[in-house]
Amino acid sequence: MLRNTVHSTWIQIAIAVAAVACGTAHAQLTNCKDPGPPDAFKIFVDEIRLTGGSTGNATVQDKLQSIHKFLSENLKASSGGNASVRDCGKRFPNDPLDFDGTEFDGLDNQRVVLEVWGVLDDPAKGSGSLGFALVPVRPIAPPAVYVVPGANLLNSLRQGKQMGAFAPLVLGIRQYQNRNYADAVPLLCAGTQQLNSVLTGPSALGDAAFVTRQQELMKKVKEITDSAIREARKTPGSRFGLLNPTSDGTFVCPQ
Amino acid sequence: MTDGETSPRRTLEIHDSTLQLESAAVEARIKQIEEKLEERNGKGALTWILDVLKTLLPSIVLAILGFALKDTVDQALREREIQLAAVKEMETLVPDFQKTDLVRADAQAKAAQLAAFGRYSVPFFVNILEVGNQNAGVGAEDGLRMVARSEPQVVCAALQSVIQNRTGLYRWQTHLSALEILGQASCTKACRDVASVRNTMSSVDNYQKWVSSPPMQTEYDKVYKQASDTFAQLNRVMPGDCK
């Protein structure tokens, strides 16, 4: 019996070594330092780093901290108390591809709706980019990871809610998936409105590729919003009952 | 004069004719007595042997049983010793596995090390599914798959008991992982339990009573879909038998 145990242990060790040897370079995301309460929807805010991963001097560190702080406040405001914004410490994706199917599943099972991280390219100008992993969007518009370049991240964040536009959008989609249609509509409408202001106007963010992908996403969101309004109208006494469909059968978001 | 009677002391009178007659009678009597004695001796030996056997029988049975059970008991003790040694060794790996700054690749590597302990690592992996952080959970799933390749019965039995539980011992996430691995490890004995989960979940409101963390609609849908997928997987392994 002992011989069998030893023999089987050796086989298992061999499997283990093979598995370790096959470990991929991807998936370098650590756990979130403070993942928050299990029952609440959550937004993970990862580290904001300097390009190349260098630490920079004290001034640069202050700037990185400020961006992190403004980003968290921005997301808190735009989620309207529907999600808990969590500081994830040193968690940071080396590559957007770190957000693979397993990572999305893990986030979804923790009720994380959005994960945000940032890279500061030029500390003097403040240029850089913010990354967004939109967890509930994955089934409808994969890979659901967007990197938004900005000429001055800190100024953009100071100016208002624009950078948090994804928060109501993902919360609305999640409510829609949970068949809470009446709750989903205001969030979807707010998200659409905020994202449109990010994509258009004088202070539009992102490059052409980003805008194209966002327009595709907005098309899907519009379909979901119309479907949510249609379903919400089925409930007797619904406040959406007064909304009338346009000639093409779609709806205009209530003001 | 009969046997056992003591004769009073008397003077023996010897006459020519009677002496011969008495000698023959005495001889016959002696023979009779000898025969009786022999008979009694034979019966006595048998009784004695039976008595001895009666006394010794329980001890003999006990000795035979003891001999037969010795190996089993020895094996059980040795098994227990191995288990304790494995647990002690695993204890050194466990804290690393649950660190916050652990990346997924490292969690998988640690899980591979723990999976080398085979069946002894299974309860630990199940517990990590229940209480571990995100990357540790991924590692625990991988660890269970690794053990299932060499000792499928142990993994199947452990995960079968996870999905059988409906009293809130596990989170819905643990049910989800258990269902997934049961299918991947071809746990055909769990087939009926998988079917039962799929058929009796009924609704999100009902399923909330089974698990410790109340799931939302999307989460309920996910578990239901996994139960259906696992059932289909097991049906492919045992076509027709999985009902």
Side-chain angles (χ1 to χ4, degrees), chain A residues 128 147-151 156 163 198-199 203-212 214:
Chain A
V147 177
V148 190
S156 298
M163 300 303 269
V198 172
L199 298 173
S203 57
L205 287 172
D207 52 14
F210 171 72
V211 171
T212 308
Q214 285 306 301

Side-chain angles (χ1 to χ4, degrees), chain A residues 1-2 9 12-13 16 27-33 41 100 103 108-111 174 177-179, chain B residues 79 82 99-104 112 116 118 133-135 150-151 172-173 214 216-219 221-222:
Chain A
M1 187 237 160
L2 191 65
T9 305
Q12 285 157 3
I13 289 169
Q28 292 303 311
L29 280 164
T30 60
N31 296 296
C32 182
K33 183 188 77 177
F41 288 128
D100 56 8
E103 193 61 39
D108 196 32
N109 289 350
Q110 292 180 81
R111 295 192 183 159
R174 187 68 198 259
Q177 289 163 339
N178 277 328
R179 298 176 206 167
Chain B
E79 174 91 14
I82 293 169
K99 277 184 181 169
T100 309
D101 58 355
L102 197 72
V103 299
R104 197 200 304 164
N133 57 41
Q134 191 185 343
N135 287 336
S150 55
E151 295 181 85
W172 65 266
Q173 292 95 329
M216 292 176 173
Q217 185 65 47
T218 46
E219 295 157 352
D221 292 344
K222 218 188 256 192

Side-chain angles (χ1 to χ4, degrees), chain A residues 26 54 61 71 95 100 102 118 127-129 164 167 172 185 187 192 206 211 216 234:
Chain A
H26 274 307
S54 57
Q61 281 300 318
L71 186 57
D95 189 293
D100 56 8
T102 307
S127 63
S129 57
V185 174
L187 291 163
T192 307
V211 171
E216 284 166 13
K234 288 178 185 169

Side-chain angles (χ1 to χ4, degrees), chain B residues 5 13-14 22 37 71 73 96 99 122 128 131 138 147 195 200-201 209 212 224:
Chain B
E5 279 180 20
E13 288 174 284
I14 302 168
E22 281 193 4
L37 269 173
D71 267 4
V73 173
D96 288 347
K99 277 184 181 169
V122 172
I128 286 293
V131 300
V138 174
V147 180
T200 56
M201 286 173 79
K209 294 170 197 157
S212 55
Y224 181 83

Side-chain angles (χ1 to χ4, degrees), chain B residues 7-243:
Chain B
S7 52
R9 189 176 284 219
R10 61 185 180 186
T11 316
L12 180 66
E13 288 174 284
I14 302 168
H15 307 282
D16 283 352
S17 56
T18 54
L19 180 67
Q20 272 190 333
L21 182 75
E22 281 193 4
S23 157
V26 167
E27 222 170 272
R29 272 183 201 159
I30 287 168
K31 200 177 177 185
Q32 218 173 0
I33 289 163
E34 276 175 356
E35 275 173 8
K36 276 185 182 175
L37 269 173
E38 266 174 29
E39 200 178 310
R40 187 176 283 180
N41 279 348
K43 273 188 184 172
L46 191 68
T47 315
W48 182 80
I49 289 167
L50 281 174
D51 284 348
V52 170
L53 274 177
K54 264 186 208 169
T55 318
L56 289 178
L57 194 66
S59 312
I60 292 166
V61 171
L62 203 66
I64 293 167
L65 274 176
F67 184 74
L69 287 175
K70 187 180 170 292
D71 267 4
T72 319
V73 173
D74 276 356
Q75 263 185 4
L77 282 172
R78 210 170 298 153
E79 174 91 14
R80 189 79 183 150
E81 277 171 18
I82 293 169
Q83 186 182 2
L84 284 172
V87 168
K88 271 189 183 173
E89 282 191 56
M90 282 197 293
E91 265 177 12
T92 58
L93 294 167
V94 169
D96 288 347
F97 196 54
Q98 290 172 305
K99 277 184 181 169
T100 309
D101 58 355
L102 197 72
V103 299
R104 197 200 304 164
D106 290 341
Q108 286 168 318
K110 294 278 173 206
Q113 283 178 296
L114 282 161
F117 292 95
R119 66 182 63 195
Y120 308 113
S121 62
V122 172
F124 170 73
F125 285 137
V126 172
N127 191 52
I128 286 293
L129 288 182
E130 186 62 22
V131 300
N133 57 41
Q134 191 185 343
N135 287 336
V138 174
E141 282 187 7
D142 270 11
L144 285 168
R145 282 187 205 101
M146 285 180 214
V147 180
R149 285 178 197 123
S150 55
E151 295 181 85
Q153 297 90 345
V154 183
V155 176
C156 291
L159 298 181
Q160 195 175 349
S161 73
V162 169
I163 63 160
Q164 278 170 344
N165 184 275
R166 295 176 185 193
T167 54
L169 188 61
Y170 299 103
R171 303 182 305 158
W172 65 266
Q173 292 95 329
T174 310
H175 273 192
L176 183 69
S177 300
L179 283 165
E180 188 183 346
I181 299 166
L182 281 169
Q184 290 167 337
S186 302
C187 300
T188 47
K189 279 186 183 168
C191 186
R192 290 214 169 95
D193 288 315
V194 173
S196 167
V197 168
R198 187 196 59 173
N199 298 336
T200 56
M201 286 173 79
S202 315
S203 67
V204 65
D205 289 337
N206 182 54
Y207 183 60
Q208 279 176 352
K209 294 170 197 157
W210 296 12
V211 286
S212 55
S213 55
M216 292 176 173
Q217 185 65 47
T218 46
E219 295 157 352
Y220 166 84
D221 292 344
K222 218 188 256 192
V223 177
Y224 181 83
K225 186 182 179 300
Q226 187 57 61
S228 302
D229 291 350
T230 300
F231 184 75
Q233 270 176 314
L234 297 177
N235 245 323
R236 282 200 294 275
V237 181
M238 267 194 346
D241 288 347
C242 195
K243 284 173 186 167

Side-chain angles (χ1 to χ4, degrees), chain A residues 70-147:
Chain A
F70 275 108
L71 186 57
S72 297
E73 283 172 4
N74 207 308
L75 289 164
K76 267 180 206 164
S78 55
S79 62
N82 291 302
S84 170
V85 179
R86 316 303 304 181
D87 177 3
C88 283
K90 296 281 176 193
R91 183 175 159 97
F92 186 87
N94 287 342
D95 189 293
L97 289 175
D98 282 354
F99 288 96
D100 56 8
T102 307
E103 193 61 39
F104 266 99
D105 281 345
L107 292 171
D108 196 32
N109 289 350
Q110 292 180 81
R111 295 192 183 159
V112 177
V113 287
L114 178 66
E115 180 160 349
V116 189
W117 67 97
V119 178
L120 188 61
D121 295 328
D122 185 341
K125 290 179 186 169
S127 63
S129 57
L130 290 175
F132 298 85
L134 282 61
V135 181
V137 173
R138 179 89 166 181
I140 54 171
V145 180
Y146 301 90
V147 177

